[in-house]
Amino acid sequence: MIPLSWYIIFAAVLFCIGLYGALARRNALAILMGIELMLNAANVNIVAFWRYGTFAIRGQVFALIVFAVAAAEAAVGLALIISIYRRRTTIAVDEINMLKW
Amino acid sequence: MTSVQLVFLLTAAITLYAALMVVLSKHLVHAALWLILVLAGIAVLYVLLNAGFLAVVQVAIYIDAIAILIIIVVMLTQRAMGETSMQVNRSWWLAALTSIVLFVGLVALFNQIPFLQSDAPALDVDAEVLLDDLGVSLVDVDQYILPFEVASVLLLAALVGSIMIAWPRGSASEEEHEA
Amino acid sequence: MPFDINDPFVWFGEWFRGLLQGLGLAPGMVTFVQNLLGALALGTIVLVATFFLIWAERKIVARIQDRLGPNRVGPYGIFQTFADAIKLVTKELITPVGADIIPYNLAPLLTVMSVVGVWAVIPLAPRLTGSDINVGVLYVVSISAVGTLGIMLAGMSSNNKYALLGAFRTVAQMLSYAVPMVLALLVPVLLSGSMGMVQITEAQGSIWFVLLAPLAALIFFISSIAEVGRAPFDLLEADSEIVAGFNIEYSGLRFGMFFVAEFLHAFTISALTATLFLGGWQGPGANDYPLLGLLYFFIKTAVVYFVVIWIRGTFPRIRIDQMNSVNWKFFTPLALAGLVVTAVAEKLVTEYSLNRILVHLGSSALLFVIVFTILGSYARARRRELKGLAIRGSEVSAVESQA
């Protein structure tokens, strides 16, 4: 039916697209979106290996913990972005380059 | 080409196109909407992988919480960067090169592992049993209760931390925070 | 195969399958066509039923307000909604200048889709469910929040200050009230041991869950009303405050879709409350005669819908700060406490017996008494404080009038 390699290659492409988004964009929110893409790609990878392996339940547990970590990281990241926007009125990451002004 | 393969190819194509639009889009609200399409596509892939619970959790956590949060923050900070200023930094070509090199390297690596060409093993347990196993494994002392509890402490820390960070400046950030 | 009164839906499915196979389709294709037609039928019935729901609401609210309601178009005004629908369909679709085209057009679709999608998992009769998934409750939660997304997109893409204000209020209210709703939803899951709606309905054969966990039922009901955005929580479209909120810039059929989505959502949460807490299709004789089960389901849903309309006609609108404080300071801690208390009570007594009912009811009553003692003392302290302010105020005005 569907060989495992299809899922792995899909996850690899998604990860590389997210990597480009995280490295090349100037807007902090766009970088956060790239990070979410990378997390989702890793999650697809984990669940694919769980399905094509021996059905040990730890694959799904791993994926659930990744969900929780992604939610926590998105919340803190967005709070940071709002805080930076309040002080500097900019969220372009190459303009936030001084520790104190 | 069986119907399942067709569904997979269609979903994967839509998801990858949407992911490309996320990183290439100039307008941030459009990028957030494409991100929602990516997350929905990944939920469909979870259903194809017989992980129905994870699919519903994906929709509930990512689309209903994280994507809405991202859209709200985009709306709050929209004055910062309009569509005319540069969306990519000076070394974007290096980032593209890195992504392509990484992808080629990964594909070359995968072709050397014969296990990856295998098909899915038969599904011999019921979905209900899988869900029961998952639930039991998260609270069983011999299994994965420790990562479960650590994840809840992490979420609590993130909750408290993000409230403290985003508290409006000048109005008593030393006040007692509400957990 | 003769008509089987004990299993009419399965009989119908087999007859239809025979019909399709007689036309010469492959078995896989027959299943696909059956599922497709079933989904189409469910969605269409649900959307057409909205016409009569809107008529019922207008008549009942009118009677509560001591007037007649629509009574011109058809006997008792029953075709009024058809006339309104024809009017909406023939109106011009105006797109405001500067509106973001794709979210603007997508928002009504998302809102309607999220509401109709919930009907796929509701068990209508003993062997009649759209889709018997074993995570039905979680599915309902996630699909409802897609509606929140739709409303937010509508407000944001309209290029209008009032629409944006409406969108932010919407997101604040809907996301806030999703928390106690989900916590209260977990109580039937605990009591029946499964997240599937069919299993929850079947577990209520001996006793309805509203008798075991009345607090959770009440919290779920009130939070759902807030999720839908009905009065008294209808500050999302407060006509006197923000000029209709997020759907200002929508005209014609797009507005019609928001309208339909709101009324259908109210009916959907009535159906959910009936399924999760009132026993769904359970009733005397429903197991043997599934058509009776369908009747019981509709009666229960209609009763809950009547209560929703009754509440709409009775209470004034609440302010946004009152809404926030009552949610985070009252409902969420109460729902959490109720969940913990139910879990402990369920562990003490598991099999069906009088003890189980008494233990659950007793723990609920204890929680009720504790909460209302705390509320009472808080209210008394506030009243004393306000009376102190009033006395001081009258002293000041007495001094001023003397001077």
Side-chain angles (χ1 to χ4, degrees), chain B residues 16-147:
Chain B
L16 289 176
Y17 177 69
L20 214 53
M21 285 290 112
V22 169
V23 297
L24 293 179
S25 179
K26 285 194 177 47
H27 199 179
L28 265 189
V29 178
H30 291 169
L33 293 179
W34 285 116
L35 183 69
I36 291 179
L37 189 57
V38 170
L39 298 171
I42 292 188
V44 173
L45 281 182
Y46 285 154
V47 173
L48 280 178
L49 282 169
N50 294 115
F53 177 67
L54 283 182
V56 183
V57 168
Q58 160 96 0
V59 175
I61 290 185
Y62 271 106
I63 299 184
D64 295 343
I66 295 183
I68 290 189
L69 269 183
I70 291 182
I71 293 184
I72 292 178
V73 177
V74 163
M75 287 309 296
L76 285 179
T77 60
Q78 215 180 27
R79 274 189 299 133
M81 288 182 69
E83 295 114 62
T84 50
S85 62
M86 278 214 28
Q87 291 294 323
V88 290
N89 55 27
R90 276 179 321 188
S91 43
W92 64 271
W93 52 271
L94 194 57
L97 194 61
T98 312
S99 302
I100 295 178
V101 165
L102 181 65
F103 176 62
V104 168
L106 280 173
V107 168
L109 188 63
F110 296 150
N111 280 335
Q112 297 176 3
I113 306 179
F115 169 67
L116 291 184
Q117 305 302 326
S118 63
D119 264 343
L123 185 62
D124 54 351
V125 283
D126 202 17
E128 185 77 37
V129 175
L130 275 179
L131 196 57
D132 280 345
D133 277 346
L134 184 59
V136 166
S137 71
L138 284 176
V139 293
D140 196 353
V141 181
D142 297 323
Q143 294 188 49
Y144 302 106
I145 187 172
L146 192 57

Side-chain angles (χ1 to χ4, degrees), chain B residues 3-21:
Chain B
S3 58
V4 183
Q5 287 183 342
L6 200 60
V7 169
F8 171 80
L9 284 175
L10 199 61
T11 313
I14 293 178
T15 309
L16 289 176
Y17 177 69
L20 214 53
M21 285 290 112

Side-chain angles (χ1 to χ4, degrees), chain A residues 4 8 20 22 29 32-33 44 48 58-60 68 84-85 91 93:
Chain A
L4 178 61
I8 307 297
Y20 171 73
L29 275 168
L32 193 73
M33 287 195 246
V44 167
R58 74 183 87 131
Q60 281 208 355
I84 292 177
Y85 178 73
I91 48 173
V93 290

